[in-house]
Amino acid sequence: QVQLVESGGGLVQAGGSLRLSCAASGSPFSINAMGWYRLAPGKQRELVAHITSGGSTNYGDSVKGRFTISRGNAKNTVYLQMNSLKPEDTADYYCIAYSREVYWGQGTQVTVSS
């Protein structure tokens, strides 16, 4: 069993930056990949970024070049550095972890004002 806790969301002006963190507890050694999805009102859930245990990354098209995903040294933490934020980045951001099952965090809200 894995528990995920996100932090770092908030309100920022367009062009600004935020850094999200997600810490895994329980059985973090069973985790393979981790990542972030987001859900905005009236829109479908969207992949933001994934990172494997080996460090391979992939990003959603709308965030490429602006967001960077990374993992902590202990591999049980994942970060999302978000730069050049736009109002359309406003959403609830959810951490996800893949082991034998898929685990989701409770979400953290990001609001980008114009």
Side-chain angles (χ1 to χ4, degrees), residues 4 6 25 29 43 45 54 66 71 83 110:
L4 302 174
E6 301 109 329
S25 61
F29 298 108
K43 296 185 179 180
R45 187 175 61 191
R66 300 187 297 122
R71 289 181 77 165
N83 298 328
V110 172

Side-chain angles (χ1 to χ4, degrees), residues 83-97:
N83 298 328
S84 302
L85 283 161
K86 305 175 182 179
E88 50 265 43
D89 294 317
T90 295
D92 290 326
Y93 284 70
Y94 295 88
C95 178
I96 185 170

